[in-house]
Amino acid sequence: MSPPQPPTISEAISGDHKSLDEYADRIRSSTSLEDKTKWRNQLTWALARHAISEELTMYPAMEKHLGEEGVLLTNTDREQHQAVKEDLYKLQSLSPSSSEFLPLLDRLMTDLHEHIKHESEEDMPRLEGKLSREESQGLARSFERTKMITPTRSHPSAPNRPYFENFAAMLAAPIDRFKDLVSAFPDKEELPEKHRSML
């Protein structure tokens, strides 16, 4: 039996999307404030890293390989990301006991699903059509590596284009990681296998 193939960029991003849905479901299904807070922190941590990593790796690849069409698609993606980042910014510091919390979580996930639909129907098929499997796997590796150095909280006022975003991320990431040290998160065993090694 041959070893499993490394994921393509579409597979890596789709895997993250499934995890984000799982974290949101865990927030909704948790019965204690402590557990809801842990899963809110996990959703924030994963979604902030995911969004910035897309902007730093996938979007430049789309612009490079798809030309003007890629620029138009990534402009739409960045607008969608901005709505998600603004919702996440509010959610990340809002107590799950607040009456505003669940409606805000629902709005965040609605905005996120609109973006996911755009990526899966528009971005990914076009980008994957221009890449070999090896190139797509290489882009997926870059996407995963980038998540290791990005901020772990939403910063909607930060730039969202390469170079400016890289610089802003380098400034914000250490502060976010310090905040992570004093924040509650789910136990490693509660997380999907994929995310256990990233903690």
Side-chain angles (χ1 to χ4, degrees), residues 49 51 64 66 74 89 105 112:
R49 294 166 66 243
K64 174 183 174 184
L66 300 174
T74 59
Y89 180 76
L105 175 64
L112 181 60

Side-chain angles (χ1 to χ4, degrees), residues 2 6 34 43 66 80 82 85 90 154 181 186:
S2 60
E34 179 184 6
L43 176 66
L66 300 174
Q80 292 171 342
Q82 189 62 30
K85 287 177 183 181
K90 294 172 191 163
S154 182
L181 292 174

Side-chain angles (χ1 to χ4, degrees), residues 50-172:
H50 172 88
I52 294 170
S53 294
E54 279 187 347
E55 291 167 1
L56 292 175
T57 58
M58 189 180 90
Y59 295 177
M62 288 173 59
E63 292 169 356
K64 174 183 174 184
H65 293 285
L66 300 174
E68 187 58 35
E69 180 185 32
V71 171
L72 294 173
L73 288 168
T74 59
N75 286 342
T76 299
D77 289 323
R78 285 187 177 97
E79 288 172 15
Q80 292 171 342
H81 267 194
Q82 189 62 30
V84 168
K85 287 177 183 181
E86 288 171 7
D87 290 342
L88 186 60
Y89 180 76
K90 294 172 191 163
L91 189 84
Q92 69 193 14
S93 58
L94 187 63
S95 171
S97 64
S98 168
S99 61
E100 299 172 34
F101 185 83
L102 284 177
L104 180 57
L105 175 64
D106 290 341
R107 187 174 77 212
L108 167 68
M109 295 310 291
T110 297
D111 289 344
L112 181 60
H113 286 137
E114 179 183 328
H115 173 65
I116 289 170
K117 184 173 191 259
H118 180 261
E119 278 186 346
S120 62
E121 293 178 2
E122 303 289 335
D123 298 350
M124 290 302 154
R126 286 176 170 85
L127 180 59
E128 292 285 15
K130 297 286 187 179
L131 301 175
S132 68
R133 179 157 184 91
E134 293 75 21
E135 288 170 325
S136 183
Q137 290 168 333
L139 186 56
R141 282 190 298 276
S142 293
F143 171 74
E144 294 296 344
R145 278 194 308 263
T146 301
K147 286 195 293 187
M148 294 179 190
I149 60 168
T150 60
T152 59
R153 299 220 172 359
S154 182
H155 300 279
S157 61
N160 64 2
R161 298 198 180 263
Y163 307 118
F164 297 112
E165 186 170 30
N166 298 35
F167 182 70
M170 286 190 307
L171 294 175

Side-chain angles (χ1 to χ4, degrees), residues 10-51:
S10 296
E11 292 163 348
I13 287 176
S14 176
D16 272 11
H17 292 161
K18 289 175 186 161
S19 295
L20 295 169
D21 278 333
E22 182 179 330
Y23 301 153
D25 289 343
R26 294 295 292 265
I27 293 169
R28 292 184 187 103
S29 66
S30 293
T31 55
S32 73
L33 178 60
E34 179 184 6
D35 285 344
K36 285 181 182 294
T37 301
K38 287 178 181 179
W39 287 106
R40 179 210 59 199
N41 293 345
Q42 183 65 32
L43 176 66
T44 299
W45 180 85
L47 181 52
R49 294 166 66 243
H50 172 88

